[in-house]
Amino acid sequence: MIGIKDISKKFDSRGIAGLHHLNLTLEKGKILALMGPNGSGKSTLLNIISGKLTPDTGSVTIDGRCLMVNDQKTAENINVLKLLIKSVTLNIEEEKKMQLARDLADIFEFTFQLRQHFEELSQGQRQKILLCTELINNPETILLDEPFNHLDPFSRREILAGLFKFIRQQQLSVIWVTHDRHEAFHFADEIGILNFGKLEQLATPEEIMLHPANFFVAQFLGYQNFILCKKHDVGFWMTPWGVHHQSENVKGEEALLVIPPYAWRIDEGSFTVQVTSLKPHELQWELEFGWREQKFVGHFPLSQKKSLQRMSLSLKPEFKDCFFISL
């Protein structure tokens, strides 16, 4: 388990960079993907947890041995099996060291490379081996600061698949800094989004995608279609398509209607839009609301491509796929 209580760290007099009164608890066996713009404090948090940085305030509690994984490690050019066995620091018999090496080779699918020398391997295979030289000592907590970012997407996904298989089997706790939303949503149990050193939202992948906490989180997750709406009555909002009920508790007199790209439907009698760009799966258009024009993006099946090539379309959102967020 990892416990982070009221952590703050300032790097300048303005106090913009760093972390600000951050609290976080990660249970044993859970994987947390930490996301946010560059400079939002992700690596700072990992460096504080690992002990490389001292926070100005707050405390960190970690159960068991903590391992920080990055790209900076190298290895001598020896037989891969010998390299793994040599990396064991646990006080165990030689036979058990060999078994640990073979188990990792099986999980990460490099059994056939055990007799090869390190420098004979591809870059992706080397990264697997380097990772396993650290995992072989059975850490309880792992910190990942984008260690495989320099690899091609296929190699990175292959290593991550093996790594998270191992993590699930061993019930390890993981905090993983990543900029890849698809990988985060595929592997993580929870996603935390940082901005200017503050934790904007911490939730499951499904919860954070369906219910972003605010405009920043929605934008960061890739939502592009936002329409300002005014409250009509308690639970009801006035939209360009009429009054619609919103069951969620949205505060204030104004809110943003968020329309996911897949929520648009062709519907005669609604607003007519001007198509500005058409890609294989994506349509972009402009629509005038009152005094200004707004650009929107929609996703449609390829089978509809011909009908979408017309210069104007009547579109409206499927409101069951949309949601409101407070301003």
Side-chain angles (χ1 to χ4, degrees), residues 238-252:
M238 179 61 72
T239 78
W241 295 273
V243 176
H244 285 274
H245 177 252
Q246 170 63 22
S247 58
E248 301 293 333
N249 181 26
V250 182
K251 299 177 181 178

Side-chain angles (χ1 to χ4, degrees), residues 73-261:
K73 190 178 178 184
T74 58
E76 58 183 306
N77 186 31
I78 59 175
N79 175 300
V80 170
L81 181 59
K82 289 181 181 178
L83 177 62
L84 290 170
I85 293 173
K86 193 174 181 180
S87 301
V88 178
T89 59
L90 304 172
N91 186 21
I92 56 177
E93 299 171 357
E94 201 70 18
E95 186 178 333
K96 290 185 177 179
K97 293 180 182 179
M98 185 173 291
Q99 188 58 52
L100 282 174
R102 293 189 182 281
D103 288 345
L104 284 169
D106 184 51
I107 291 172
F108 284 87
E109 299 180 353
F110 61 86
T111 302
F112 294 114
Q113 282 78 44
L114 282 173
R115 297 297 174 185
Q116 288 183 262
H117 278 57
F118 183 76
E119 290 186 1
E120 295 174 352
L121 305 176
S122 68
Q123 190 178 31
Q125 289 172 331
R126 289 182 190 184
Q127 286 300 311
K128 282 187 185 182
I129 307 307
L130 289 174
L131 176 62
C132 289
T133 60
E134 299 184 283
L135 295 177
I136 202 165
N137 291 302
N138 297 329
E140 287 84 5
T141 301
I142 299 178
L143 306 177
L144 300 168
D145 195 357
E146 299 188 280
F148 316 118
N149 243 28
H150 65 289
L151 297 178
D152 63 89
F154 178 81
S155 298
R156 186 172 66 246
R157 178 62 70 94
E158 186 182 20
I159 291 177
L160 288 175
L163 174 60
F164 288 119
K165 179 181 178 182
F166 176 83
I167 285 166
R168 297 292 185 193
Q169 288 179 354
Q170 302 297 317
Q171 289 193 307
L172 308 181
S173 304
V174 179
I175 297 184
W176 167 35
V177 170
T178 178
H179 282 95
D180 192 305
R181 189 173 74 244
H182 299 292
E183 290 177 354
F185 276 70
H186 182 74
F187 292 114
D189 299 306
E190 293 182 302
I191 293 177
I193 297 183
L194 279 172
N195 187 35
F196 290 118
K198 295 181 180 179
L199 191 61
E200 297 284 350
Q201 189 170 2
L202 176 65
T204 65
E206 181 179 8
E207 175 68 19
I208 209 166
M209 200 67 197
L210 294 177
H211 304 288
N214 52 42
F215 177 63
F216 169 80
V217 174
Q219 262 196 326
F220 184 80
L221 292 174
Y223 288 109
Q224 296 171 273
N225 304 321
F226 301 96
I227 299 174
L228 182 65
C229 298
K230 294 185 180 296
K231 181 181 284 186
H232 180 75
D233 203 345
V234 178
F236 290 87
W237 295 87
M238 179 61 72
T239 78
W241 295 273
V243 176
H244 285 274
H245 177 252
Q246 170 63 22
S247 58
E248 301 293 333
N249 181 26
V250 182
K251 299 177 181 178
E253 296 300 312
E254 292 185 331
L256 288 174
L257 170 64
V258 184
I259 306 174

Side-chain angles (χ1 to χ4, degrees), residues 30-50:
K30 296 296 183 181
I31 298 169
L32 167 64
L34 206 58
M35 305 185 73
N38 290 333
S40 59
K42 305 181 296 298
S43 295
T44 299
L45 178 58
L46 259 61
N47 286 328
I48 288 174
I49 296 171
S50 67

